[in-house]
Amino acid sequence: MAASKCTRLTGTLSRQLLDSVDSVLFDCDGVIWRGDQAIPGAPEVINSLKKSGKRVFFVTNNSTKTRQMYADKLGKLGFDATADEVFGTAYCSAVYLKNVCKLDGKVYLIGSNAMRQELEDVGIHPLGVGPDPISGVQKDWANVPLDKEVQAVLVGFDEHFSYMKLNRALQYLCNSDCQFVGTNTDTRLPLEGGKAVPGTGCLLRAVETAAQRQAQVVGKPSNFMFECVASQFGLDPERCLMVGDRLDTDIMLGSNCGLKTLLTLTGVSTVAEAEANQKSECPQRQKMVPDFYIDSIADILPALQA
């Protein structure tokens, strides 16, 4: 398609873009829903894409839900979706540890029950979910009992994150043979009304700092997130469209993997930020410039119905 980067998607251009792809990957929060409410028109877009023969996938950095939990939410909000179309970081981390790290032991998990379930579903035994209260003194902390079968530390979102969990992760990671994996580096989770809470990236950075090691990150914008989908469904990157609301995760993932990219303005990032990146000479910021932008994904519905 002959179009400059960061182009508003309208009319005929929408049809041309849809004709140029076979598969569409959607981020979730801020793109197809906000909180527990679907973005108006989003279910109709997803369902129409499927009816027109497109393959649709849901790709999220949220590690607090299993694939089935996401499928249940999608169904409740009116989306035609199945669990095998959902690729969250809880699931993708389990796949990474199983297929890439070839893990056959246990994992020390800083994360959620959803992550525990996804790990168990691929045959990996996780330790550490839930509170880990502190006791004793510093000498005790440095000699905390460790499970010799633990072969990796996995860090995701954990509402029970604590000093003792940080310490336990450090002690495991002092062993250079222990694998170190993180779900994502999102530092803030935006909420309604302009509020935000700390994201997984804050927890992961703390563990990286303590261990003096860098984690292998599986979530967006890591290529592995797309490779996880592509390997299971045989996707051609040149025939895929990534739709998201964040330049630093969704759009950069698309750029990293050679996908067409569409920024929707119902979430975090703005056109002004994308245009500033476009004017920058920094290669990393250039990767955060979408091919197209649109006010809401509902705006492509007329092209689907034409």
Side-chain angles (χ1 to χ4, degrees), residues 122-137:
V122 299
I124 296 174
H125 180 61
L127 307 173
V129 174
D132 190 358
I134 199 164
S135 62
V137 295

Side-chain angles (χ1 to χ4, degrees), residues 28-40 73 77 188-197 245 265-268:
C28 295
D29 199 24
V31 177
I32 62 173
W33 64 54
R34 286 198 200 97
D36 293 322
Q37 300 293 322
I39 298 286
K73 179 174 181 177
L77 294 180
R188 287 159 63 98
L189 302 178
L191 305 176
E192 292 294 319
K195 298 285 189 178
V197 295
D245 70 311
L265 304 178
T266 47
V268 174

Side-chain angles (χ1 to χ4, degrees), residues 70-111:
Y70 262 104
D72 291 343
K73 179 174 181 177
L74 285 159
K76 183 179 179 181
L77 294 180
F79 296 92
D80 174 17
T82 59
D84 63 355
E85 295 167 333
V86 177
F87 289 81
T89 51
Y91 170 74
C92 291
S93 297
V95 171
Y96 183 85
L97 287 167
K98 186 73 173 180
N99 296 344
V100 178
C101 298
K102 307 297 183 184
L103 203 75
D104 58 4
K106 298 177 182 178
V107 172
Y108 178 63
L109 173 62
I110 294 176

Side-chain angles (χ1 to χ4, degrees), residues 267-297:
V268 174
S269 297
T270 66
V271 175
E273 291 167 339
E275 290 175 340
N277 289 338
Q278 191 172 24
K279 294 173 184 175
S280 169
E281 295 182 0
C282 172
Q284 282 297 100
R285 290 185 66 182
Q286 286 291 330
K287 291 182 179 181
M288 293 188 282
V289 180
D291 294 316
F292 306 97
Y293 69 89
I294 199 166
D295 290 330
S296 165
I297 64 164

Side-chain angles (χ1 to χ4, degrees), residues 245-265:
D245 70 311
R246 294 185 66 137
L247 298 171
D248 60 342
T249 55
D250 306 317
I251 302 308
M252 186 176 276
L253 171 71
S255 298
N256 286 342
C257 298
L259 320 179
K260 298 174 178 69
T261 54
L262 173 61
L263 174 70
T264 178
L265 304 178

